[in-house]
Amino acid sequence: MLSQVLSNIPEAFSLFFTPDNIGWCLLGSVLGMIFGAIPGLTATTAVALFTPMTFLMPFEASMSFLLGIYAAGYYSGSIPAILLKTPGAPGNAATVMEGYPMALSGRAGEALGASIVSSCFGGILAALALMFFAPLLSLIALRFGQAEYFAAAVLGLVCVAMVSGKSLLKGIVSATVGMLLGTVGMDPIVGTARFTFGNINMLSGIALIPALVALFAVSEVLDKADSLGKNVIEVAQVNKIMPKLSVFVKAKWTLLRGTVIGLLIGILPGTGPTIPSWLSYTETRRTSKHPERFGKGEVEGVMASEVANNAVPGGALIPLLTLGVPGDSVTAVILAALMIQGLAPGPLFIAEHYNLFDVILWALVAANVFMLAMGLLGARLFPLILKVPTKIILPLITVLAVIGGYASNNSIFDVKMLAVLGIIGYVMQKFEFPIPPVVLGLILGPIAEPNLRRALISSQMDPSIFITRPISAGLLILAVVLALFVLPRMLRQTNTDLPYENNNVSK
Amino acid sequence: MLDRDGWAGVVLIGIFICGFYLASNLPHPPAAELGSGFFPRLLFLVLGVCGVTLLIQSVRRKDKIPLPKVNWRQVVPMAALILMYAGLLSPLGFRAATFLFLILSLLILGVRKAVYLISIPVAVSLGLHWIFVNAFRVVLP
C-alpha cells in the first residue's frame, strides 16, 4: 500500500495543482488566518462553518479549502497569543509564555516570524510523516473486527474526555451526552425508532453537520456575546518580521522534538494540540542551556510551542484516515466533509482511494506553504484583524451557521435543531462541560454501539471478547494506561507553568 | 447548599431518571439478544453515576463554586433571536428573516450607528442569498 501511495504522488501533484484548487487553498488559508486570529474564534469554528459549503465542490477543492483553514487557523491562534496575551485556541496557550514578553520588549515581529516559520516546518514534516505512517497503520486497521472498532472508539473517547476540560468527570459527561445524541433515530441493528418522539424528521437521527456547526459556532457566538466588552487590551506593534536563518539552525533539535511530540500525541484519537504544545515548550525549557531566559521572551519557547501545535494536523489525520476516528476537533469536522463527498474514512480508505489520500497530502503541504507566505507578508496587518469589532462579526457568523445547517440537507428542521443544540452547547460551556467530547461522542457513539452489540452477540454475551483479542486488548490497555498514568502527568505539565491569566482561551 | 456543580449533578440525575425510563420502554424484538434500549440505558446510567458524584463532591466541598455569571441583557435576547430566526426562516424566507435577525442582533450587541444597522443587514441578506443561490446552487427558503 505504501508503494502505491508513493508511486502515485506525482500524479496526485498534477491533480491537485490546478488554479481552482490553489485558489480554494489560498482562500481557506485567508479565512483560517482571520478566524484563528480573532480571539475567541478558532480553526474549528471556521472549518465547521464552511464545511457545508463544500457540498458541491469536487473532492480536491473541498480538501484544499478545509485544510487551508485548518493549518492557517492553527497557526494564527498564536497572533493574539503574542500580541494580546490571549491565545486564539488552547493549542497556542504555551506561546503566550515567551511570545507576549517578546512583544512587550518590542520584539513582536520576531516572535510572529519565529512562530510562522516553526508552524510551517512542523506542518510540512508532519504531512510527510502522515504519508509514511498512515498506510502502515492502515494495514493494521485492516485486521479490525467489531471488538477492535469498539476498543478504538473507547480509546478516542477516553482521550478526548481526559484532555478537553479541567475535570475528567465532566469530560465523561460530555462524551456520554454526545453518544446519547448519536442514539437518536433508527436503531442501527433492529431498526426501531429511538427518542424520536413521533417526529418523522428525527428518524434519520441528529444530522452531523448541523450539530457540529451548532456546537462549534452557535454556542461560541453566545459565549462571545456573553463576554462582549470585556478584556480590552492594548495591541502590541509589529516591526521586523523576517527571522534570521541562524535562529532556526540553532533551534533545530527543538523543532524536530516539537514535531515528533505534536505528531505522536496528535495520532492519539481525540487529543488535539493543547498537550503537545505545552509538552514541547516545557521540554525545551528543561533541556535548555539557558533556562533562566525562559518566561522573559525566549524565542526558542515560541518555536517549541508552535512547531508542536502545527504538527498536530498531520498526526490527527492519521487515525481519521485509517480508523475513521478523528484525532482532534477539526478532523471531526473533516470527517463530516469527507462524508459529504460520499467517502467513508476507515481501514479501506487508503487502499481504495490512495490517489485521494495523496491529494490530501499535497493539500496539507500547500496549505502550510500558503500559511507561511501570508504569515510573513501579512504580519503587519495582524493588529488590524485583532481590532475587528466582535459585535458585528457574531451576527454574521450566526447567519453563516444557519445557512450551513440548512444547506447540508435543505432542511428547516435541521436549522431548528442547530439553534437548540447551540443553546445547549452554550449552557454546557457555562457549567464547564467541554464541547469537543460531545462532538467526538456524536461521531464515535454510532461506531461504538453496533460494534459493541454485535461483538457481544457473536460471543454469546461474553465480554471477555474485548480482552482476548490482541488488538482490541492492546487498544483498551492503551486507553487505561493513558487515562491513569500518561495523560494526567502531561496535563499537570500544561497547567502548572502558566503565569498569565488564561481565562481568555477559547474552547 | 448546592453549588454550580451540585446543580449540574441534580440536572444529570433528572436526565438519568427520565432517560432510563424512556430507554427501558423501547421495544425489544424477541429475536434480538440486545434490544434498542441496551446502549442508551448504559449511557444514561453513566450520566446518573456522574451526576451523583458531582452532587456528592458539591455537598462535601467547602469552597463552593458560584453559579456561572451570565450577561443576561445580551445572551438571553441573542439566544431567543437565534431561535426566532430558525423559526421564521421558512415563513418569511431567507432574505427577510436574515434582514430582521441582523438588525435586531446588531442592536442587542450594542451597534448604534444607523449606517451599520442598515447597510450590514441589506448587504449580507441580499449578498449571501445571491452567492449561495448562484454560486453554490443552494436552494434557500
Side-chain angles (χ1 to χ4, degrees):
Chain A
M1 198 187 299
L2 182 60
S3 59
Q4 278 174 321
V5 167
L6 293 176
S7 63
N8 190 61
I9 279 190
E11 197 183 318
F13 180 86
S14 56
L15 204 60
F16 169 74
F17 277 89
T18 65
D20 274 6
N21 295 340
I22 289 174
W24 282 113
C25 193
L26 200 58
L27 179 64
S29 302
V30 172
L31 289 170
M33 200 70 98
I34 293 170
F35 270 77
I38 295 175
L41 300 181
T42 61
T44 315
T45 309
V47 175
L49 213 49
F50 290 103
T51 288
M53 284 119 203
T54 62
F55 191 65
L56 286 168
M57 287 182 189
F59 173 84
E60 296 82 10
S62 155
M63 284 299 113
S64 307
F65 182 51
L66 296 178
L67 291 175
I69 301 176
Y70 189 5
Y74 259 41
Y75 153 69
S76 64
S78 72
I79 299 169
I82 292 166
L83 299 181
L84 288 180
K85 205 177 77 175
T86 305
N92 309 101
T95 307
V96 175
M97 299 288 290
E98 306 302 325
Y100 188 65
M102 285 179 77
L104 282 182
S105 57
R107 294 160 63 207
E110 193 187 333
L112 286 171
S115 164
I116 184 68
V117 175
S118 313
S119 295
C120 178
F121 180 87
I124 290 181
L125 215 58
L128 294 177
L130 169 68
M131 179 170 75
F132 287 104
F133 289 136
L136 296 177
L137 191 62
S138 223
L139 289 175
I140 300 172
L142 281 171
R143 295 166 60 192
F144 271 31
Q146 289 131 4
E148 287 75 17
Y149 272 117
F150 173 71
V154 169
L155 175 65
L157 289 166
V158 165
C159 288
V160 77
M162 288 286 301
V163 306
S164 294
K166 291 175 185 164
S167 149
L168 170 62
L169 197 62
K170 290 188 173 180
I172 293 172
V173 170
S174 292
T176 310
V177 168
M179 283 194 282
L180 276 169
L181 290 174
T183 63
V184 174
M186 298 286 269
D187 177 339
I189 294 186
V190 292
T192 49
R194 296 189 294 194
F195 312 120
T196 57
F197 304 102
N199 188 328
I200 198 165
N201 291 302
M202 288 176 69
L203 273 177
S204 54
I206 290 181
L208 185 57
I209 291 176
L212 292 174
V213 177
L215 292 167
F216 284 138
V218 178
S219 66
E220 280 303 316
V221 165
L222 290 172
D223 195 47
K224 294 306 149 244
D226 195 7
S227 57
L228 213 58
K230 295 177 190 167
N231 308 320
V232 182
I233 306 168
E234 278 294 303
V235 182
Q237 288 297 309
V238 176
N239 35 33
K240 183 176 161 281
I241 298 135
M242 277 310 263
K244 283 182 189 158
L245 187 66
S246 60
V247 176
F248 297 100
V249 175
K250 224 172 96 184
K252 55 186 179 297
W253 296 118
T254 296
L255 292 172
L256 280 174
R257 182 177 47 227
T259 306
V260 171
I261 290 173
L263 188 67
L264 291 182
I265 299 179
I267 290 173
L268 289 176
T271 46
T274 312
I275 289 180
S277 58
W278 274 107
L279 203 60
S280 172
Y281 172 74
T282 48
E283 276 305 296
T284 301
R285 193 177 64 177
R286 193 179 62 80
T287 55
S288 171
K289 287 176 188 164
H290 303 286
E292 74 283 356
R293 290 184 192 166
F294 282 75
K296 296 168 190 160
E298 171 58 49
V299 70
E300 213 171 317
V302 172
M303 291 155 80
S305 154
E306 285 302 312
V307 73
N309 180 48
N310 271 62
V312 168
L317 282 166
I318 294 177
L320 175 72
L321 298 176
T322 56
L323 305 174
V325 176
D328 64 357
S329 308
V330 184
T331 39
V333 190
I334 288 183
L335 172 69
L338 288 168
M339 287 155 101
I340 285 179
Q341 298 287 333
L343 297 164
L348 293 172
F349 178 78
I350 298 177
E352 288 176 353
H353 306 286
Y354 55 88
N355 52 337
L356 301 185
F357 174 69
D358 283 339
V359 168
I360 290 176
L361 290 174
W362 278 119
L364 194 56
V365 171
N368 277 284
V369 173
F370 287 137
M371 175 190 84
L372 176 71
M374 274 192 300
L376 290 176
L377 298 174
R380 285 177 202 282
L381 301 175
F382 292 159
L384 297 179
I385 299 178
L386 300 180
K387 288 177 185 167
V388 173
T390 314
K391 53 190 172 186
I392 291 177
I393 294 279
L394 295 181
L396 300 183
I397 289 176
T398 312
V399 173
L400 284 176
V402 163
I403 295 178
Y406 173 81
S408 51
N409 295 316
N410 283 359
S411 160
I412 290 287
F413 178 78
D414 281 355
V415 177
K416 292 175 182 165
M417 183 69 79
L418 170 133
V420 172
L421 282 178
I423 293 169
I424 292 174
Y426 164 74
V427 174
M428 287 183 74
Q429 285 194 55
K430 289 305 283 182
F431 280 80
E432 293 196 351
F433 289 95
I435 295 300
V438 182
V439 171
L440 264 280
L442 183 60
I443 289 171
L444 296 181
I447 295 175
E449 183 188 2
N451 285 300
L452 170 71
R453 286 165 67 185
R454 286 196 186 107
L456 284 174
I457 291 167
S458 71
S459 67
Q460 278 84 47
M461 302 301 290
D462 178 6
S464 68
I465 186 171
F466 298 108
I467 48 171
T468 49
R469 293 171 64 106
I471 298 176
S472 162
L475 289 169
L476 289 176
I477 290 169
L478 182 62
V480 172
V481 169
L482 285 170
L484 294 183
F485 306 108
V486 182
L487 291 175
R489 205 171 142 220
M490 288 180 177
L491 283 168
R492 274 198 295 277
Q493 272 183 297
T494 69
N495 294 331
T496 52
D497 295 298
L498 192 65
Y500 298 112
E501 283 289 325
N502 197 19
N503 303 335
N504 302 329
V505 181
S506 62
K507 283 112 211 146
Chain B
M1 185 65 187
L2 293 181
D3 66 358
R4 183 196 68 189
D5 287 4
W7 283 113
V10 169
V11 172
L12 288 176
I13 294 168
I15 294 173
F16 157 67
I17 294 168
C18 300
F20 201 86
Y21 172 77
L22 284 173
S24 300
N25 285 328
L26 285 169
H28 188 133
E33 285 176 78
L34 290 172
S36 302
F38 166 71
F39 194 61
R41 271 203 308 273
L42 194 68
L43 297 176
F44 281 119
L45 198 63
V46 173
L47 278 192
V49 171
C50 290
V52 170
T53 314
L54 281 172
L55 189 60
I56 293 171
Q57 284 178 346
S58 164
V59 172
R60 285 186 177 172
R61 196 179 289 121
K62 284 179 186 162
D63 297 326
K64 303 289 182 194
I65 307 169
L67 282 168
K69 282 182 186 158
V70 176
N71 184 349
W72 298 105
R73 288 176 63 185
Q74 281 178 335
V75 173
V76 173
M78 197 65 193
L81 204 56
I82 292 173
L83 285 172
M84 192 190 83
Y85 183 27
L88 289 179
L89 208 56
S90 183
L92 291 188
F94 175 79
R95 280 170 287 197
T98 303
F99 181 81
L100 199 63
F101 169 77
L102 282 172
I103 281 197
L104 293 176
S105 57
L106 288 169
L107 277 170
I108 288 170
L109 296 177
V111 177
R112 291 290 176 268
K113 283 188 180 171
V115 61
Y116 289 155
L117 287 172
I118 294 167
S119 64
I120 293 172
V122 169
V124 172
S125 55
L126 296 180
L128 281 180
H129 186 270
W130 188 87
I131 289 172
F132 277 89
V133 170
N134 293 295
F136 289 107
R137 311 252 175 240
V138 173
V139 184
L140 290 173

